[in-house]
Amino acid sequence: LPISGVYKSQVLELCNLLGIPEEITNSSRQADPECGRPQELADINIEELDEYLKTGVGLIVKEQKRYIESIIRKNKFKSNIFTGINI
């Protein structure tokens, strides 16, 4: 299951603290459509993307904002998957 409430930039920070080589963590910044990271998403800086997701503002351009909002709408159902289930 995905880690809920943790942003990718935070995961990258933790990897850095743990000494994970940059060539490994930098691979997460590249497009990988099979794993759900298309080029349109890879073109957005991870830290800027996370800042936008946290605050609704950031340095990303208008077209990227539209793209991000479309992804959020498309995947909104996922936030409700475990509603009402005791895990």
Side-chain angles (χ1 to χ4, degrees), residues 23-55:
E23 57 267 13
I24 293 173
T25 57
N26 283 341
S27 69
S28 69
R29 297 178 182 273
Q30 299 171 359
D32 188 353
E34 290 182 20
C35 290
R37 187 163 173 78
Q39 188 62 50
E40 297 89 349
L41 191 54
D43 289 342
I44 305 171
N45 177 283
I46 290 171
E47 289 78 10
E48 291 172 7
L49 172 60
D50 284 356
E51 184 64 25
Y52 178 74
L53 293 173
K54 290 177 193 175
T55 66

Side-chain angles (χ1 to χ4, degrees), residues 3-17:
I3 301 171
S4 182
V6 179
Y7 291 88
K8 192 164 193 168
S9 58
Q10 294 170 319
V11 172
L12 293 175
E13 279 184 55
L14 291 171
C15 288
N16 185 44
L17 290 172

